[in-house]
Amino acid sequence: MVPFSFCSVDLLALGEGGLFHTPTASLLFADLHLEKASSYARRGQMLPPYDSIETLRRVLALVERTEAKAVYCLGDSFHDRRGSERLADEALGLLALLTARTRWTWIVGNHDHAIADPLGGHIVAEAELAGLVLRHEADRHDSRPEISGHYHPRYMVTLRGRRVSRPCFVIGATKLILPSFGVLTGGMDAADPVILGTVGVGARALIPVQERLLGFPLAA
């Protein structure tokens, strides 16, 4: 966990792709995309059906490691609105444990905007934590400090003729975009014009590495 400050709020960046706010013992994740494999399977593209349980195990490990009291999922927690209905028994049990153990908040996203029963916790369109707006997709017209997900940013470079990428946070003056936490999700180049246009001038990619937070400027 690497400390940094965003809009005068002290946070910890997790190497796994989440954030921790120590004063409220809150974990923040974005884009779990639970049941993505089963969603693809329904359309004939077969993927190993273990993404949900592996993602939830990662969440549980961080809840235990940080002793989190609250969890905020910043949208697209399920790959589609019926994803919760397809969870296997083990994943259901893990989710029930997590939502009973913490104050669990589901922020709706574009994939799961119609979700009605996420199996514990409560559903909101947006939330607020320590003066920071929490939402799924960044609103470039909102000047308030904001944390969001949606874009699955990855920092991409070419090394020795080979394209290399790693999940990253993207930070600007008032915008902070989280990488996807789901084990079966892809990503968008952090320097994509859509992300840069949302975050604004001075956007940087942040990658936690051991005890350091590496920062890379993104061309605007």
Side-chain angles (χ1 to χ4, degrees), residues 5 15 17 64 67 69 84 87 92 112 129 138 150 192 200 202 206:
S5 180
E64 292 179 338
E67 298 183 347
K69 304 301 182 185
S84 61
L87 286 169
L92 282 170
D112 54 11
L129 177 68
H150 182 62
D192 188 282
L206 302 179

Side-chain angles (χ1 to χ4, degrees), residues 29 32 56 59 63 69-73 77 95 98-100 102-106 120-123:
F29 305 109
L32 303 182
L56 290 171
V59 172
V63 167
K69 304 301 182 185
V71 172
Y72 294 88
C73 295
S77 300
L95 188 53
L98 286 163
T99 56
T102 64
R103 297 187 304 277
W104 190 282
T105 300
W106 306 96
H122 64 283
I123 306 168

